[in-house]
Amino acid sequence: MSSAVFRHLTFPLLLGLAAPLAQAADPQALLMRMQQAAGSLDYDGTFVFQRGDQLESLRIVHKASAGVMRERLVSLNGAPREIIRTGSEVRCYLPDENAVLIEHRRADSRNFPALLPDSLSALKKNYRIQAGVVGRVAGRAAQSALITPRDAYRYGYHLWADQATGLLLKADLIDTHGKVIEQYMFTQVSIGKPIPESELAPQHPSKGITVQRSAEAPAASTGLWVASQLPTGYALKRRMMRKLSARQQPVEHLVYSDGLAVVSVFIEPVDDAARGALLGRTHMGAVHAFGKVADGHQITVLGEAPAMTVDLIGASVAPPAR
């Protein structure tokens, strides 16, 4: 083979390799692009969610306009349901029950494909972040990023972003043994095309029961429950009172996070509604739970984090000092 022919064949190959290497130089910028794209782009697609033996297919329609995020999420298998989100208001339509549940959530609540937190600067303290390979997801070229925990108190992530727009197309949650325990993945997606208003309206509006769930309220500033032992990197991010269904009294809700992993602690007086609640440990897929009774209160801890994390936090939750 002549040197001219060799150069002719290898030059395009080297160009193809150069683009992924250039993108891999700043994985932090890749994560920032994913985070921004999820909230700012208009998209319409179908994705699957898998956790253990559970497999669910959903359609998502997302529109960002004048700083307000609007979204419609439709379950495509199992019991029909639609979730319509406009800003902080979330309406869950349940056609089988002819009911709609209404609640308000924080604007920074995270759901696929908006899985990353607003602030990414602190992640490097608890995770190693590096760019991965270039591949294809839902027929689109995608750049991957690996988020590897620095200890056993958190899971890892393998994320795939659309090369053209930065939208997160696939997310794998990785346990401490390197096994995929949860996965989101677009199977089809259209990005950047106009979203008609009709696509954001519920297809099964309820004419029956409407349940209004109260918004979050600040917790009292005195007599506070606290988790005295936290894994490195975790901190108390929010403390609030929540009104849950089938509960007569508001439940105190503490949120601990390292920026990615989130562990919730619910504290409520032991009454007829709380009796029979969780005692000990259990789990479903990536979510671990721990329950106990302390000082006449039921303590329930839930987190998409390793069991040792939930156990450590839950065991150390104690009543306020008297």
Side-chain angles (χ1 to χ4, degrees), residues 125-126 151 153-154 230-234 258 312:
K125 295 179 181 179
N126 306 303
D151 58 34
Y153 286 105
R154 58 211 95 228
L230 299 174
T232 301
Y234 283 82
D258 67 355
L312 178 64

Side-chain angles (χ1 to χ4, degrees), residues 2 44 101 123 134 140 146 179 199 205 257 260 275:
S2 70
D44 180 352
L101 306 179
L123 293 186
V134 174
R140 304 177 69 96
L146 301 172
K179 179 182 177 182
E199 293 294 344
S257 177
L260 275 180
R275 295 186 190 281

Side-chain angles (χ1 to χ4, degrees), residues 90-207:
V90 179
R91 293 175 176 250
C92 182
Y93 293 86
L94 307 171
D96 283 359
E97 302 176 30
N98 198 30
V100 57
L101 306 179
I102 305 174
E103 64 178 8
H104 290 80
R105 299 179 186 173
R106 288 171 56 98
D108 62 356
S109 60
R110 306 201 301 268
N111 298 285
F112 182 82
L115 291 180
L116 294 172
D118 289 337
S119 176
L120 299 170
S121 59
L123 293 186
K124 288 186 177 180
K125 295 179 181 179
N126 306 303
Y127 300 89
R128 297 180 182 89
I129 303 172
Q130 61 188 117
V133 299
V134 174
R136 295 175 74 242
V137 179
R140 304 177 69 96
Q143 169 72 55
S144 68
L146 301 172
I147 303 177
T148 308
R150 295 184 182 275
D151 58 34
Y153 286 105
R154 58 211 95 228
Y155 292 136
Y157 299 79
H158 191 182
L159 309 177
W160 296 80
D162 179 42
Q163 278 193 321
T165 66
L167 184 68
L168 182 62
L169 300 178
K170 180 182 177 183
D172 294 342
L173 189 65
I174 312 295
D175 70 9
T176 53
H177 302 292
K179 179 182 177 182
V180 176
I181 50 176
E182 191 172 283
Q183 182 181 90
Y184 294 88
M185 182 175 68
F186 273 110
T187 56
Q188 175 277 327
V189 64
S190 172
I191 305 172
K193 294 183 179 179
I195 304 292
E197 288 296 314
S198 59
E199 293 294 344
L200 294 166
Q203 303 301 301
H204 303 282
S206 173
K207 297 180 181 178

